[in-house]
Amino acid sequence: MKSNIQNNNYLLEIENLKVYFSTVLGTAYAVDDISFKIRRGQAVALVGESGCGKTVTALSILRLLHTPPLSHLSGRIKFEGRDLITLSEEEMRRVRGRHISMVFQEPMSSLNPVFRVGDQIADVMKMHFGMTKEESFGKIEKVMEWVGITDPHMRLRQYPYELSGGLVQRVMIAMAVVCEPKLLIADEPTTALDVTIQAEILKLLRRIKHEKEMSVLLISHDLSVVARIAEWVVVLYAGKKVEEGSSTVIYAKPTHPYTKALFDALPAKSGGKKRLNTIPGSVPLTTEPPKGCRFHPRCPSAMHICEVKEPPWIQLSPEQGNACWLYAGEEIKT
Ligand SMILES: Nc1ncnc2c1ncn2[C@@H]1O[C@H](COP(=O)(O)OP(=O)(O)OP(=O)(O)O)[C@@H](O)[C@H]1O
Ligand code: SF4
Ligand SMILES: [Mg+2]
């Protein structure tokens, strides 16, 4: 497998992204200095528990966060070399849905209940290609069929409430890929679905990636979902990147105590017990991140330095890096 570090053919390069919100409890440091890259045709996963900053990172890429409550957005989000943070709203409208599209975490809430699904997909085609409804319906039927929707002619004339959860997710994916974007962001695409449908949706995402050579940013709290698609994994904790690496290496040898805890909490690791292993404690409030390493209150290996000083990024190999004091001094020489 090619390394993310050795290959310069990047589609998206996120550098030092910071996204803060103004809340009644004070500033929420939702994403706090996160960097990662996605190559063309590569699937990268953002992993972490609830509240770690996965969705906020995705919404920042699409510039869908607004002031208020957004109070600070900085860093660089380079897409094909252009920094999206500096683009005007008009320029972003041309990128959204056309070059970067997203399947949102709550699919039902991103479809308008009062319009037929075909009309909603046709709106996307009209916005980006100026096509009329009649012109776009043929293409939409083909895309719906391609994402596994049977009888697309009938389906595109239905309202969202007439479709099952699995079908709604396929419609959302059809809408996201109809303009053949270069990057597809899928935010927890299978969380609300039952196990059989989950497997089908993951198979579909894999097929889209291979057949259309699309890059995918997969967001999930579930490492077993990520394993099915992603070649590169970025682990977030409380708004910080704590580990990243090629899937092969991360799955064989996770290093950060938080990544290890995520693996231990997988059903397969719970040894058939009725109650699954859990990570003691919870993700801290982003308005009150712990000093030093943000994971220290939950970390079984925490040392004094962890409570007072933030760990630096340590590149262990071209295929893996982490932010953990346990590995200080183990950095590879480049
Ligand atoms: N609009 C907002 N205003 C204030 N705080 C926000 C806002 N959106 C997100 N946050 C905070 O930012 C942090 C990260 O949220 P985010 O939605 O990115 O989490 P996530 O990793 O996607 O979690 P989940 O797995 O539950 O979807 C959370 O603490 C959340 O409360
Ligand atoms: S830096 Fe310290 S607290 Fe943080 S994960 Fe490593 S050992 Fe645990
Ligand atoms: Mg989310």
Side-chain angles (χ1 to χ4, degrees), residues 23 34 113 129 142 162 219 221 284:
T23 77
I34 285 177
F129 301 123
K142 279 202 190 98
E162 296 179 88
I219 293 177
H221 63 278

Side-chain angles (χ1 to χ4, degrees), residues 256-257 293 295-296 299 301-303 306 311 324-326:
H256 195 281
C293 169
F295 188 55
H296 86 254
C299 180
S301 312
M303 304 166 283
C306 309
C324 173
W325 283 116
L326 292 173

Side-chain angles (χ1 to χ4, degrees), residues 311-333:
W313 185 254
I314 298 159
Q315 197 63 47
L316 299 164
S317 75
E319 299 284 331
Q320 189 172 29
N322 75 19
C324 173
W325 283 116
L326 292 173
Y327 296 84
E330 291 190 25
E331 187 139 27
I332 48 159
K333 305 278 175 285

Side-chain angles (χ1 to χ4, degrees), residues 246-259:
S246 74
S247 308
T248 322
V249 175
I250 296 276
Y251 280 78
K253 194 172 159 284
T255 56
H256 195 281
Y258 180 59
T259 317

Side-chain angles (χ1 to χ4, degrees), residues 153-201:
H153 186 78
M154 182 263 289
R155 293 292 184 199
L156 58 75
R157 288 165 178 80
Q158 288 188 309
Y159 291 93
Y161 70 85
E162 296 179 88
L163 307 176
S164 66
L167 267 178
V168 166
Q169 196 59 307
R170 283 182 201 272
V171 165
M172 292 308 304
I173 293 171
M175 195 188 267
V177 301
V178 74
C179 296
E180 307 206 359
K182 292 167 187 152
L183 173 64
L184 172 67
I185 303 174
D187 192 355
E188 301 280 3
T190 60
T191 305
L193 306 172
D194 71 46
V195 179
T196 326
I197 313 285
Q198 268 188 21
E200 286 175 16
I201 295 291

Side-chain angles (χ1 to χ4, degrees), residues 281-308:
S282 53
V283 178
L285 286 176
T286 40
T287 46
E288 292 167 25
K291 282 209 171 61
C293 169
R294 291 189 181 180
F295 188 55
H296 86 254
R298 303 172 78 188
C299 180
S301 312
M303 304 166 283
H304 177 64
I305 191 171
C306 309
E307 295 171 27
V308 289

